[in-house]
């Protein structure tokens, strides 16, 4: 009888040891003899398998969230009362939130942009929301909300600032081109009507024809500049092994300048002796166009009697500079930052009168940037202007004398 009691007590104690371990099943299960040992071993095995499966699932979830987090588009999960359950770093950046601190906060308490708050409370998510966001509302976000589960929401955000800017630029560009073409076309149409309906003397006919040809030329210039811009924009990076002699370029530019000025200005071209062997790499026609545009501007804007100095110089670091200085009217400082924008004119009527398209400096800036250089402009009203192309050392070399 007493031995049965002893066995029963020992058995109970073993059971308690197993129970104790099961309460917090960490580490190895207690080693017990007989059935308790077998039970402990099997339980430990089942727990280990469960733990492995849970770890695998946790890793998968972490990987999944890391993948979503890597997306440039923002993802935010909201619960039924719009508290943030999870937010990707892109979404945190888009909405100006903290990825960790703001969890479980109501999103509309943190993102106070009225359009966003209204969109979320409206509950009509068929169309995405476009709204300004970020510091100083300078960025534009596109936000999609997709309800799922039991009142939960998936919020997707995309930074469309660049796209919006490009769209605006495209619209402005088309409007500007249409405006630029409409004016000479209207004038031409008027002259054609005059010629068709009115009996003109020979002198009047000649005058009308000359005015018509001026307008046609204006359109030709515009189309030609537009084509140049389109070609530059659409072509690959200029080659670095296509070399052109600077002396040849300067000769051509000087020739064109003489033709354009027709003796009305003092033109000075300076290419110091060591620079005569200088060569630059890239697209020759683009270099000619950039340099030619600066010289032709100086001639067009400088009144008769003024002087224009064109200089090529090299710097101690191996780079080079092409500079055009004129004694023209100069440009007020408020115009300088916008001068290279397409169709921007500091003095609209003078530019048009002299055959300007408003595209010259945009072409120059595009060309020099594509070649890794820089356009610098300094000017003083009443004194004149200085336009300098800074050519990087990587695109400058000196030929060995023949
Ligand atoms: P445009 O065809 O009108 O000359 P550009 O892009 O070449 O167009 O130049 C933009 C504007 O910059 C011009 O309309 C003119 O107002 C100003 N500008 C350019 N070069 C000079 C210069 N050398 N002197 C004075 N103003 C200039």
């Amino acid at each position: 009888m007493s031995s049965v009691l002893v066995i029963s007590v020992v058995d109970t104690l073993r059971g308690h040891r197993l129970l104790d371990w099961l309460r917090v099943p960490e580490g190895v299960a207690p080693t017990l003899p007989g059935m308790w040992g077998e039970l402990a071993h099997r339980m430990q095995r089942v727990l280990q398998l469960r733990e492995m499966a849970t770890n695998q699932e946790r890793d998968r979830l972490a990987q999944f969230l890391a993948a979503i987090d890597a997306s440039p588009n923002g993802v935010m999960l909201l619960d039924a009362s719009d508290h943030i359950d999870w937010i990707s770093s892109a979404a945190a950046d888009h909405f100006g939130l903290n990825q960790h601190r703001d969890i479980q906060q109501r999103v509309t308490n943190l993102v106070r942009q009225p359009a966003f708050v209204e969109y979320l409370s409206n509950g009509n998510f068929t169309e995405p929301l476009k709204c300004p966001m970020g510091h100083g509302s300078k960025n534009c976000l596109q936000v999609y909300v997709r309800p799922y589960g039991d009142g939960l929401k998936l919020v997707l955000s995309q930074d469309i600032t660049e796209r919006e800017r490009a769209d605006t630029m495209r619209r402005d560009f088309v409007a500007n081109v249409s405006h630029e073409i409409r004016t000479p076309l209207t004038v031409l149409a008027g002259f054609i009507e005059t010629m068709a309906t009115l009996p003109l003397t020979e002198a009047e006919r000649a005058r009308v024809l000359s005015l018509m040809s001026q307008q046609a030329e204006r359109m030709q210039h515009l189309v030609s500049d537009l084509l140049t811009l389109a070609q530059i924009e659409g072509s690959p990076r200029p080659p670095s092994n296509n070399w052109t002699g600077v002396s040849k370029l300067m000769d051509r530019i000087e020739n064109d300048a003489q033709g354009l000025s027709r003796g009305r200005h003092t033109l000075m071209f300076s290419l110091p002796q060591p620079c005569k062997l200088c060569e630059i790499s890239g697209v020759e026609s683009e270099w000619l166009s950039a340099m030619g545009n600066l010289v032709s501007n100086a001639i067009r804007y400088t009144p008769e009697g003024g002087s224009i100095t064109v200089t090529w110089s090299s710097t101690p670091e191996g780079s080079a500079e092409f500079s055009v200085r004129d004694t023209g009217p100069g440009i007020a400082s408020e115009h300088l930052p916008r001068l290279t924008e397409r169709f921007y004119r500091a003095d609209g009527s003078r530019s048009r009168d002299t055959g300007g398209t408003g595209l010259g400096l945009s072409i120059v800036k595009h060309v020099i940037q594509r070649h890794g250089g820089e356009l610098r402009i300094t000017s003083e009203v009443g004194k004149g202007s200085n336009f300098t192309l800074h050519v990087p050392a990587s695109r400058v070399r000196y030929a060995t004398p023949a």
Side-chain angles (χ1 to χ4, degrees):
M1 185 63 197
S2 66
S3 63
V4 171
L5 194 70
V6 170
I7 291 171
S8 166
V9 169
V10 170
D11 208 44
T12 310
L13 282 174
R14 285 172 183 162
H16 271 287
R17 275 189 68 198
L18 184 59
L19 270 177
D20 281 349
W21 176 72
L22 274 175
R23 275 192 197 103
V24 193
E26 278 172 359
V28 186
T31 321
L32 298 166
M35 192 186 70
W36 288 117
E38 181 68 19
L39 257 177
H41 174 71
R42 291 199 177 194
M43 279 177 186
Q44 184 168 28
R45 183 92 194 103
V46 168
L47 283 171
Q48 273 173 345
L49 288 174
R50 285 270 157 86
E51 200 174 307
M52 264 168 60
T54 312
N55 282 345
Q56 270 176 7
E57 286 307 313
R58 195 185 302 133
D59 288 351
R60 269 171 61 102
L61 181 65
Q63 263 182 18
F64 195 66
L65 291 179
I68 299 178
D69 203 47
S71 162
N73 294 331
V75 180
M76 178 160 58
L77 303 180
L78 300 181
D79 69 9
S81 44
D82 291 344
H83 290 95
I84 303 169
D85 264 343
W86 186 82
I87 182 166
S88 73
S89 44
D93 191 38
H94 289 164
F95 291 102
L97 297 173
N98 184 301
Q99 207 179 359
H100 308 290
R101 198 189 53 213
D102 293 338
I103 295 295
Q104 293 314 322
Q105 300 287 323
R106 187 190 282 266
V107 69
T108 43
N109 287 347
L110 304 172
V111 182
R112 292 183 176 271
Q113 165 62 242
F116 177 75
V117 175
E118 197 190 320
Y119 182 68
L120 214 58
S121 65
N122 243 345
N124 179 5
F125 306 124
T126 35
E127 290 294 321
L129 167 77
K130 266 190 205 172
C131 67
M133 200 71 76
H135 298 296
S137 297
K138 266 193 265 162
N139 288 357
C140 186
L141 273 195
Q142 178 145 285
V143 180
Y144 293 86
V145 174
R146 294 283 176 266
Y148 71 102
D150 200 4
L152 309 176
K153 290 186 194 90
L154 168 70
V155 181
L156 301 169
S157 57
Q158 199 181 9
D159 189 337
I160 54 165
T161 317
E162 272 314 307
R163 202 167 77 196
E164 287 290 294
R165 196 173 296 156
D167 278 354
T168 313
M169 267 175 63
R170 219 178 357 253
R171 272 197 301 274
D172 286 356
F173 185 64
V174 171
N176 278 325
V177 171
S178 314
H179 175 77
E180 293 289 333
I181 288 185
R182 196 171 50 205
T183 316
L185 263 184
T186 312
V187 178
L188 267 178
F191 284 141
I192 290 170
E193 202 181 319
T194 308
M195 291 190 83
T197 51
L198 295 179
L200 300 176
T201 63
E202 201 46 46
E204 282 167 340
R205 224 174 76 89
R207 204 181 76 82
V208 168
L209 278 176
S210 140
L211 290 170
M212 284 172 81
S213 122
Q214 266 176 29
Q215 296 302 323
E217 216 171 277
R218 193 170 146 190
M219 284 200 289
Q220 265 172 347
H221 279 157
L222 181 66
V223 172
S224 148
D225 275 0
L226 283 171
L227 284 175
T228 307
L229 257 183
Q231 197 193 356
I232 295 172
E233 275 176 349
S235 52
R237 212 180 130 71
S240 51
N241 55 358
N242 188 33
W243 296 93
T244 308
V246 168
S247 157
K248 183 176 109 183
L249 285 177
M250 290 285 274
D251 282 349
R252 279 193 60 179
I253 291 162
E254 187 169 355
N255 248 330
D256 292 349
Q258 304 285 8
L260 201 60
S261 166
R262 280 178 275 116
R264 289 174 298 135
H265 308 93
T266 310
L267 301 180
M268 283 167 284
F269 278 74
S270 152
L271 180 66
Q273 190 56 38
C275 295
K276 288 209 158 62
L277 295 172
C278 187
E279 294 181 328
I280 49 175
S281 73
V283 183
E284 185 179 328
S285 59
E286 289 185 21
W287 280 124
L288 258 180
S289 167
M291 296 171 178
N293 259 305
L294 293 183
V295 176
S296 109
N297 274 357
I299 293 172
R300 285 191 299 116
Y301 292 105
T302 304
E304 193 163 347
S307 59
I308 290 134
T309 312
V310 182
T311 318
W312 182 273
S313 58
S314 53
T315 69
E317 302 83 50
S319 57
E321 282 181 354
F322 172 81
S323 115
V324 181
R325 192 151 38 84
D326 65 52
T327 57
I331 306 158
S333 58
E334 72 261 25
H335 295 298
L336 294 183
R338 299 196 57 194
L339 228 47
T340 55
E341 283 176 23
R342 291 168 190 193
F343 297 112
Y344 188 85
R345 292 170 167 111
D347 174 356
S349 59
R350 169 127 192 87
S351 156
R352 288 197 179 86
D353 294 348
T354 55
T357 60
L359 293 173
L361 289 181
S362 347
I363 294 176
V364 176
K365 185 176 172 190
H366 230 85
V367 167
I368 191 69
Q369 280 186 343
R370 268 163 58 74
H371 287 80
E374 207 187 335
L375 168 66
R376 291 180 198 149
I377 310 170
T378 51
S379 189
E380 208 178 321
V381 176
K383 294 212 165 146
S385 313
N386 193 348
F387 289 78
T388 301
L389 292 181
H390 182 85
V391 187
S394 58
R395 292 203 175 264
V396 180
R397 77 172 185 191
Y398 291 84
T400 35

